[in-house]
Amino acid sequence: MGFSTDAIHAGQRPDPVTGAVITPVYLTTTYHQEELGVNKGYEYGRLHNLTREALEKNVAALEKGKYGIAFSSGLAAIQAFMGLVKSGDHVIVSNNVYGGTFRLFETIMTGYGVEFSWVDTAFPENIEHAIKSNTKIVYLETPTNPMLTLTDIEEVVKITRRQKLICVVDNTFMSPYFQNPLILGADAVIHSSTKYLNGHSDVLGGIVVTSSEKIHDRLRYMQKAAGSIPSPFDCWLTLRSTKTLAVRMKQHEINAFTVAKYLVSSKYVKRVYYPGLPDHPQHQLAKRQMSGFGGMVTAEFDSFEMVKSLLKRLRIFALAESLGGVESLVCHPASMTHASVPREVREKFGLTDSVLRFSVGIEDADDLVQDLDNAIK
Ligand SMILES: *Cc1c(COP(=O)(O)O)cnc(C)c1O
């Protein structure tokens, strides 16, 4: 099936009792058992919920994987994924991952005896050099936040296959509509469904997709044993949202291109980062690895003063954390999402105080450009 058909139908069948076309919100914590050891495959809400199963099957289909395992947030999904390693194991991570991922690994997982190496995965040879006898996972995020640097997933997979390591990709920024890491050979994909998958800034969620039975079994066990599951209503809302993922992503991209081109043309902007622009250093890789360029645009302005006054004057772009919703947001990474990254470190990869990150929504593109133009002038 095509992407949009799967988005609307995969994982959902008419309700067997009433024929309801839309999968209901199964608000129940427990299920009646006919006699000892006899049930319909549903025992307890943490383990089994039909609304959650529908969402898991739906996103698994969109990511071209066999299994989806849903969690209460992106970070809960990432933490559950780390259930694949134990004390004494080593994990190699892209050095510019989501700040919360960095915090989870460095301040919590290291306390459990898991070791991390942070490398620039844009150069896969750095991964090769970081591999040790106890390495288990290579954890990628591509494109990165907020500089939109790419990692060549296929190149990394060549290394992880040879070394029998697990390769996992946080695909939150592209969504399954623009990038399918499993097709490129990755063993698993992680999403913060809070972002594009849900897309309406009203549900926190996370999901792992894999075709590996072994990874699925462990993640399913983590879901049951650690219990950071999403509520049935949140699953229902996310399932409603994935139906429109294709049309939303197309519009996000059209609008992002329009905003990127406007920013390129502005004399107050020093540099624009968008994988769709021919001057993006990895534009060729972007064209090969992704089927589109997404809705995130980052720009460096002339000065921090300019950025401050711009943020005060924007009317449609709302100053806020998060991304991937239908409404346009703007964020100042240096003081918001990346405040905990030391200045010398972030400036090395271009993240100065004059950088703004735009999550371009699906409003009328002309209004977005007008909003920026008014604020800049
Ligand atoms: C937001 C985000 C996360 C964390 O997800 P939550 O749903 O906020 O827990 C992980 N990775 C990326 C790339 C994100 O943008």
Side-chain angles (χ1 to χ4, degrees):
M1 293 289 172
F3 188 94
S4 298
T5 309
D6 272 344
I8 291 162
H9 296 287
Q12 297 152 90
R13 44 180 188 197
D15 179 59
V17 178
T18 63
V21 166
I22 297 303
T23 302
V25 192
Y26 278 84
L27 285 176
T28 185
T29 56
T30 191
Y31 304 86
H32 174 235
Q33 314 200 4
E34 285 118 80
E35 55 179 285
L36 275 182
V38 180
N39 58 55
K40 295 186 163 59
Y42 293 83
E43 293 166 56
Y44 184 57
R46 180 158 23 78
L47 286 60
H48 308 119
N49 181 276
L50 204 135
T51 319
R52 190 175 84 212
E53 278 173 25
L55 173 66
E56 291 176 336
K57 287 183 182 146
N58 182 257
V59 178
L62 300 185
E63 274 295 9
K64 320 290 182 209
K66 271 198 204 159
Y67 311 106
I69 311 99
F71 297 91
S72 54
S73 69
L75 275 171
I78 295 166
Q79 191 193 12
F81 195 84
M82 285 297 137
L84 288 164
V85 295
K86 54 187 188 326
S87 177
D89 286 343
H90 174 239
V91 179
I92 297 169
V93 196
S94 298
N95 62 358
N96 185 18
V97 288
Y98 177 71
T101 308
F102 176 81
R103 181 173 53 205
L104 169 67
F105 290 177
E106 278 299 310
T107 70
I108 296 180
M109 297 295 300
T110 54
Y112 298 161
V114 180
E115 208 191 325
F116 295 91
S117 291
W118 301 87
V119 308
D120 184 354
T121 55
F123 303 93
E125 61 269 26
N126 292 339
I127 296 175
E128 197 114 46
H129 296 147
I131 293 172
K132 305 203 268 186
S133 58
N134 56 343
T135 306
K136 292 284 153 53
I137 293 176
V138 173
Y139 187 106
L140 307 176
E141 195 176 304
T142 178
T144 60
N145 173 26
M147 306 317 291
L148 304 167
T149 305
L150 273 63
T151 292
D152 189 328
I153 298 172
E154 278 182 311
E155 282 304 312
V156 174
V157 164
K158 280 185 198 158
I159 300 169
T160 55
R161 291 229 169 120
R162 211 182 314 127
Q163 304 279 349
K164 300 202 165 26
L165 309 176
I166 293 168
C167 175
V168 58
V169 180
D170 182 331
N171 196 26
T172 300
F173 263 47
M174 278 303 118
S175 92
Y177 185 69
F178 284 133
Q179 178 168 270
N180 291 124
L182 297 184
I183 290 182
L184 299 168
D187 300 291
V189 180
I190 299 181
H191 282 280
S192 165
S193 48
T194 312
K195 315 295 166 53
Y196 287 108
L197 283 178
N198 183 64
H200 293 73
S201 307
D202 50 12
V203 178
L204 280 157
I207 190 159
V208 177
V209 177
T210 182
S211 291
S212 150
E213 207 135 318
K214 212 168 135 198
I215 294 174
H216 164 262
D217 289 351
R218 183 65 179 167
L219 267 291
R220 190 64 73 195
Y221 186 78
M222 289 300 293
Q223 192 187 42
K224 165 173 105 170
S228 50
I229 48 154
S231 79
F233 185 58
D234 285 355
C235 293
W236 186 86
L237 279 172
T238 309
L239 198 51
R240 157 185 263 228
S241 298
T242 57
K243 290 185 203 293
T244 57
L245 185 63
V247 287
R248 283 189 284 115
M249 292 314 294
K250 281 180 208 168
Q251 198 60 44
H252 278 298
E253 185 183 52
I254 291 170
N255 288 7
F257 246 123
T258 308
V259 164
K261 282 183 189 147
Y262 165 76
L263 290 169
V264 166
S265 75
S266 167
K267 60 177 193 271
Y268 302 104
V269 178
K270 271 200 201 150
R271 182 137 189 222
V272 181
Y273 299 85
Y274 184 63
L277 295 174
D279 73 344
H280 185 283
Q282 295 163 300
H283 181 59
Q284 292 309 321
L285 172 60
K287 282 207 286 194
R288 188 154 31 91
Q289 171 160 288
M290 320 190 303
S291 56
F293 307 109
M296 302 299 296
V297 180
T298 297
E300 185 179 13
F301 289 82
D302 271 349
S303 67
F304 180 52
E305 267 49 55
M306 161 125 214
V307 158
K308 264 202 303 199
S309 69
L310 187 70
L311 289 174
K312 261 195 292 191
R313 288 177 168 80
L314 286 168
R315 290 290 167 266
I316 300 176
F317 282 93
L319 178 60
E321 306 249 0
S322 201
L323 60 108
V326 291
E327 63 286 298
S328 291
L329 302 178
V330 58
C331 145
H332 182 245
S335 68
M336 294 166 73
T337 51
H338 288 63
S340 61
V341 182
R343 178 184 294 273
E344 320 79 72
V345 176
R346 60 179 163 79
E347 290 194 346
K348 228 185 271 170
F349 56 83
L351 182 44
T352 66
D353 288 343
S354 318
V355 167
L356 289 179
R357 184 195 78 183
F358 299 91
S359 172
V360 182
I362 63 170
E363 301 95 338
D364 292 297
D366 290 350
D367 289 337
L368 297 178
V369 167
Q370 199 60 53
D371 192 34
L372 285 165
D373 203 48
N374 290 342
I376 286 176
K377 282 179 179 150

